[in-house]
Amino acid sequence: MEIIVTVLPHLVGLRLEAVVVRGVGVRIDAATRTVRAACGACGIWSTTLHGSYVRRLADVRLGGHEVLVALTVRRFTCANVGCRRRTFVEQVPGLTRRYARHTLLAAGDLEAVAVALGGRPGSRLAQRLAVSVSRMTLIRMIRRMPDPPVVTPTVLGVDDFARRRGHRYATVLLDMHARRPIDVLPDRTADTLAAWLREHPGVQVICRDRGGSYADGARRGAPDAVQVADRWHLLKNLSDTVEKVIRGHRRCLREHTDPIPALAAPATTEPGTTGRRAANTRQRHAAVHALRAEGLSIKATARRLDMNVKTARKYAHAATAEALIGPNASSRPSVLAPFHLYLRQRLTDGVHETAHLHAEILARGYQGTLRVLRDWLTTNRTRPTRRPQSGCRRPGGSPPGSCDPDTNSPPTTTPTSPTPATAAPTSTPSPTSPADSQPWSATKAPDNTSTSGSNVPATPDTPNCAASPLA
């Protein structure tokens, strides 16, 4: 027992009854020796015993073993008739408190771990050092801890954060020397910040962002304080401004004075700010600024133009429409864009084979696929025109060369003059007859019957393209 009292001094004053080692845990049975106790509500001492029960308190580890103190405490009856408590339980100073499941020594260690690490990491470390607890137990310990007294810093940091993004915002105040938060304001208005500064005089420097409400609140609440912008907001504002300026002068940056060789792969250039999207952006920017010039608020402008308030605010804060026009997914250059000039030159030279062109641009650094090149060639390649054939192709299988190659129409047939004794004159269609306007239509065959009564038709010596009618 003397060893237990030496190792665990916070158990001095109790009656130690037994120490039991079970597995990885140690159980210490103890009881109080008091005969009277003071009521926690009214402070009246009482000696009237109501009963007793056993409290089980987790203590700090002992030699790597978890320690459980089974403490028998007494319940007394309050002697004050007007007290709101009829009974109360005695508390051991330095060891117990109401509704606690840990000793004060173990609770102090757990609170330090919870403040340093939080929920899950603190729970993992507490299992090795103090007591096995859950993450929610550590979080509840942090919430039960009293808030430290607010000390007015000389250098105050002011910034906002979102309770619900786009709806509710609050303000956090920080001590810039100690690098820790000291207070949280319910909103981010100038009146709230000014009231806090009046209640806490002594702020010499206010480090804030470039918001107008914080500037107004600091000017009204601490007029003698120096207002400065913190480093992060300075760099953020600078980068945003540089980006807007460069975006508005993209065309100036894209101009090249050095000529690009025809066979070299040109550098990728950003597409111009043209098209339907750019036109719509300029139109909406002009409409928003026109309504703002009439005196309408941003919300009224958004309702008038049927757009979101955030969108209307973005257009209203933009000085020019060019600052809102940026590259999008549909206007990004193709992977083949650096080689367009080279491919057009090769097509002009007469090289139209896709495989040859693909091998040439691969040697020049092309990293795309063959399908991208094939699609581009399908749109931009002009196939050579075919020369007209020397002869026409007639139905009926007439030999080539029977048509006029210049006009692609059948030649005019002049029938041979028969002898006056054997053949009758052949009727030739006039140049203005319908047969000339339709060269592939059948014409009336000449009547070559003889005067001697023979029915054998005579075959003309010169072939006629219109002699074989279409079936």
Side-chain angles (χ1 to χ4, degrees):
M1 296 299 177
E2 296 179 359
I3 297 178
I4 297 297
V5 173
T6 304
V7 176
L8 301 174
H10 54 286
L11 299 182
V12 176
L14 301 178
R15 186 177 67 251
L16 301 181
E17 298 177 350
V19 177
V20 181
V21 180
R22 294 180 179 178
V24 295
V26 177
R27 174 174 174 172
I28 300 177
D29 295 335
T32 59
R33 298 177 178 178
T34 58
V35 294
R36 66 172 188 167
C39 177
C42 61
I44 302 299
W45 290 84
S46 175
T47 57
T48 306
L49 184 63
H50 182 273
S52 63
Y53 71 99
V54 178
R55 296 183 62 179
R56 293 172 176 82
L57 306 173
D59 203 358
V60 295
R61 287 179 177 265
L62 182 61
H65 297 275
E66 293 186 0
V67 178
L68 179 66
V69 179
L71 179 62
T72 303
V73 293
R74 299 176 180 180
R75 180 179 293 274
F76 292 89
T77 302
C78 184
N80 186 7
V81 180
C83 182
R84 65 177 184 272
R85 293 183 183 177
R86 304 298 298 275
T87 61
F88 62 92
V89 178
E90 60 178 343
Q91 304 295 334
V92 180
L95 181 64
T96 64
R97 61 184 176 185
R98 296 186 64 191
Y99 307 114
R101 295 180 179 271
H102 301 86
T103 62
L104 294 181
L105 182 61
D109 295 344
L110 292 177
E111 288 176 357
V113 172
V115 171
L117 299 179
R120 286 189 177 90
S123 176
R124 291 192 293 268
L125 181 61
Q127 292 178 1
R128 299 293 302 273
L129 299 180
V131 186
S132 297
V133 291
S134 65
R135 62 182 182 89
M136 295 306 301
T137 300
L138 297 179
I139 293 175
R140 285 193 296 269
M141 286 184 173
I142 296 176
R143 292 175 176 175
R144 283 197 302 263
M145 294 175 60
D147 295 333
V150 179
V151 178
T152 303
T154 57
V155 181
L156 178 68
V158 182
D159 202 356
D160 60 340
F161 67 95
R163 293 180 179 268
R164 183 183 178 188
R165 187 176 297 275
H167 296 273
R168 295 193 301 271
Y169 289 85
T171 301
V172 58
L173 304 179
L174 304 97
D175 186 353
M176 302 304 292
H177 286 315
R179 296 181 179 272
R180 56 176 298 177
I182 58 176
D183 204 350
V184 175
L185 305 182
D187 51 34
R188 54 179 181 179
T189 60
D191 297 336
T192 305
L193 178 61
W196 190 93
L197 291 174
R198 295 190 191 98
E199 295 175 0
H200 302 82
V203 177
Q204 300 177 3
V205 179
I206 299 177
C207 184
R208 59 172 180 83
D209 60 6
R210 301 186 65 183
S213 60
Y214 289 152
D216 187 18
R219 187 165 48 252
R220 290 188 294 169
D224 298 334
V226 179
Q227 300 185 31
V228 298
D230 60 273
R231 180 173 53 188
W232 186 90
H233 284 96
L234 283 177
L235 295 177
K236 181 68 169 57
N237 297 144
L238 176 62
S239 61
D240 292 344
T241 304
V242 171
E243 182 180 359
K244 290 181 180 179
V245 172
I246 294 177
R247 186 182 301 172
H249 296 79
R250 289 194 302 269
R251 298 178 181 177
C252 303
L253 299 176
R254 286 200 303 267
E255 294 180 356
H256 299 280
T257 56
D258 299 334
I260 301 175
L263 298 182
T268 304
T269 58
E270 186 180 355
T273 57
T274 58
R276 185 177 61 183
R277 183 186 298 272
N280 292 340
T281 301
R282 295 187 180 95
Q283 182 180 2
R284 299 178 74 181
H285 180 269
V288 170
H289 279 263
L291 294 178
R292 291 285 292 164
E294 296 177 3
L296 273 70
S297 63
I298 293 181
K299 291 185 178 180
T301 302
R303 288 193 299 267
R304 180 74 64 84
L305 298 178
D306 193 17
M307 63 173 58
N308 189 273
V309 177
K310 294 182 180 179
T311 306
R313 183 179 294 109
K314 179 180 67 176
Y315 277 89
H317 292 171
T320 61
E322 301 298 329
L324 300 173
I325 302 174
N328 48 47
S330 61
S331 63
R332 288 180 298 182
S334 171
V335 69
L336 193 62
F339 305 93
H340 286 172
L341 186 61
Y342 174 77
L343 291 174
R344 290 190 178 94
Q345 180 66 32
R346 297 297 290 159
L347 292 177
T348 305
D349 296 341
V351 181
H352 297 274
E353 291 79 5
T354 305
H356 292 173
L357 295 174
H358 185 249
E360 292 178 3
I361 63 176
L362 282 179
R364 285 167 172 78
Y366 175 64
Q367 298 181 354
T369 61
L370 180 62
R371 181 177 180 180
V372 177
L373 175 62
R374 186 184 298 114
D375 295 342
W376 186 87
L377 290 176
T378 302
T379 307
N380 296 271
R381 179 167 49 192
T382 303
R383 298 186 179 276
T385 58
R386 295 183 179 180
R387 299 180 60 184
Q389 299 180 357
S390 58
C392 64
R393 186 175 182 181
R394 298 191 296 110
S398 61
S402 60
C403 296
D404 189 1
D406 296 332
T407 60
N408 202 18
S409 61
T412 306
T413 304
T414 305
T416 59
S417 301
T419 59
T422 59
T426 305
S427 61
T428 303
S430 62
T432 59
S433 63
D436 291 339
S437 61
Q438 298 180 1
W440 296 109
S441 63
T443 60
K444 183 178 180 180
D447 186 9
N448 293 326
T449 57
S450 63
T451 57
S452 61
S454 176
N455 295 328
V456 179
T459 304
D461 298 334
T462 304
N464 190 2
C465 287
S468 300
L470 296 176

